[in-house]
Amino acid sequence: MTAHARLLLLASFLLPTTVFAQAIPDDVKVQAEALRDAALQDSVAYDIVESLTMEVGPRSAGSAGDAAAVRWAIDKLNALGFKNVHADEVLVPHWDRGTLDIRITAPYPQFLVATSLGGSPGTPEEGIEAELVRVESLAELRALSREQLAGRIAFVDHVMERKKSGAGYAVSTRIRSCGHVVAAERGALATVIRSAGTSTHRVAHTGSMLRNNVPATIPGIALANADADILAYAMRSGEAVKLRLHSSARYLKQEMSANVVAEVPGNGDLANEVVILGAHLDSWDLGTGAIDDGTGVAIVIAAAKMIMESGESPRRTIRVVLFANEEFGLSGANKYAEQHASSIDQHVVGLEADFGPGAVWKLSSQVAEDALDIVAELHTLLEPMGIEQGDNKASGGADLGPLRKAGMPVLGLSADGTEYFDYHHTADDTLDKVDRDDLNQNVAAYVTAAYVAANIERNFGRLQPSNNVNTCAAEFD
Ligand SMILES: [Zn+2]
């Protein structure tokens, strides 16, 4: 072989890798880094979450606060200069917490701090008084016979694990949404759980008790961690422990809410393709919804705004979607996916912010295998902020679930969840828990990822559509 031939052979091996070596062109990288660094210095995110929590506050589905939040979002997005700002109507359930009185009547009478779980029916007018049966897991609850549980109150005393990834929440939410189903099947009158949360303050963590939007048949109540301790102590006495509870929780008529949508329109051949930046506009009623999900709303709006003001239109359209009623049944997420079923293939990738204001520590994804080199290169832009490269199994978040199941790839930017569940779904979810620097770091991560996704020639492929429905059956525990 001549030297020339050897060179040609070498070139033929090198050429494909040279072509694909760079998934993100230099000019896109340079601009993404500039946006990232600017966001770290300052972003408008804090002002947005401050405005939402101070001017609107609690905004649970169907409430007056929910309607006010929709008006707030429309006004805010218009004022910031977004295009195609509009509200897509979504019918939402309206559940009212009412009042709750819960106390131990024997052996050590004492009032307890607790809250009703979303979707809980109230008690009869005269309340419920019954003996308690304590278990620590769903498996233990399933092992009880009807004889052991009928006419009693089930107490599921599982301690949620504190983790940076927030992984302990999955076990606890399953107890929250399935404990009452298992208990009711065995004739229990109500279910009391230790909160799905890690707070050491005397606050209870609410959250939906419904799985797949099936109505609950018995009351579901969450105790503050400290109060679950009191109850667990009483159980250790060996005597029969009796609880008395009265709740006026109830459903009101459904109300019209909305997904609030705004765009940074793309320019050119890829303009009809969309990069989704999602967060949810609703919150639970106990706090002011600062970390869940005011910060998410602020992060995605701030990131999109930075791209809008960077001088040049992105190639793809960036669409901010503030979803209606995530907390109590994903009404907005399901409606959006239905509405856009015929244009699902134009949704090239989605990012959701719904894990509080902790600094982002991991980039994960769920994209086609042959697009993993794009994610790896994106990671090099995020690494200077202390962000690790995760796996390709990201869920993408609850609101993007229906789109992901229809084939849309997702990127996941994991916020540090170590302290998130101290405040999540409690009266303690207020603005003072938001750290400006960590919030800006989130915006920096989102703006980098969104800018790259909107401006590279390639895309993230498609996912295999799936239709998994996770029920309360034991096989899913
Ligand atoms: Zn949330």
Side-chain angles (χ1 to χ4, degrees), residues 169-365:
Y169 188 55
V171 180
S172 289
T173 49
R174 186 154 179 83
I175 289 170
R176 192 176 73 202
S177 60
C178 290
H180 63 98
V181 176
V182 177
E185 281 167 3
R186 287 154 182 76
L189 301 178
T191 307
V192 173
I193 65 167
R194 180 184 284 270
S195 281
T198 54
S199 182
T200 55
H201 293 178
R202 203 176 186 188
V203 288
H205 300 248
T206 192
S208 174
M209 71 187 288
L210 309 189
R211 178 145 302 245
N212 305 321
N213 289 331
V214 178
T217 57
I218 58 173
I221 287 155
L223 293 164
N225 272 305
D227 294 78
D229 292 343
I230 294 169
L231 207 48
Y233 178 88
M235 295 298 299
R236 290 199 294 274
S237 70
E239 293 178 54
V241 175
K242 279 192 167 180
L243 268 190
R244 210 193 121 62
L245 55 103
H246 181 274
S247 157
S248 60
R250 63 192 173 135
Y251 278 90
L252 304 173
K253 74 173 177 56
Q254 292 185 315
E255 295 286 344
M256 198 56 85
S257 182
N259 288 330
V260 179
V261 180
E263 292 184 341
V264 182
N267 186 18
D269 55 334
L270 301 178
N272 69 337
E273 296 186 356
V274 180
V275 172
I276 296 286
L277 288 179
H280 65 86
L281 191 54
D282 66 307
S283 77
W284 280 109
D285 51 332
L286 298 175
T288 62
I291 66 165
D292 187 14
D293 186 23
T295 45
V297 167
I299 289 162
V300 297
I301 294 176
K305 176 177 180 282
M306 292 192 74
I307 295 174
M308 176 170 69
E309 291 173 353
S310 67
E312 245 177 279
S313 298
R315 293 180 69 182
R316 296 187 174 91
T317 294
I318 292 175
R319 183 177 296 161
V320 172
V321 185
L322 306 180
F323 291 98
N325 187 31
E326 183 271 345
E327 298 291 3
F328 194 47
L330 294 172
S331 312
N334 290 326
K335 179 71 187 281
Y336 182 94
E338 272 169 37
Q339 243 177 347
H340 295 84
S342 63
S343 63
I344 181 68
D345 288 344
Q346 288 164 18
H347 293 67
V348 295
V349 73
L351 291 111
E352 177 175 324
D354 186 15
F355 210 70
V360 176
W361 63 281
K362 187 174 73 175
L363 165 71
S364 52
S365 61

Side-chain angles (χ1 to χ4, degrees), residues 14-37:
L14 285 178
L15 201 59
T17 51
T18 327
V19 168
F20 290 107
Q22 199 165 356
I24 307 173
D26 284 336
D27 59 329
V28 175
K29 277 188 184 166
V30 167
Q31 181 65 9
E33 283 169 336
L35 287 165
R36 176 197 69 194
D37 295 346

Side-chain angles (χ1 to χ4, degrees), residues 160-162 195-200 205 225 418-422:
M160 182 179 152
E161 254 188 288
R162 179 185 296 279
S195 281
T198 54
S199 182
T200 55
H205 300 248
N225 272 305
T418 311
E419 290 169 9
Y420 183 55
F421 292 100
D422 289 347

Side-chain angles (χ1 to χ4, degrees), residues 120-152:
S120 176
T123 58
E125 193 55 50
E126 66 278 15
I128 293 171
E129 182 161 11
E131 201 180 309
L132 210 65
V133 179
R134 177 180 174 275
V135 294
E136 293 183 0
S137 67
L138 271 186
E140 283 183 26
L141 191 63
R142 286 187 201 286
L144 295 178
S145 65
R146 192 173 176 87
E147 200 171 40
Q148 289 169 296
L149 210 47
R152 300 193 168 87

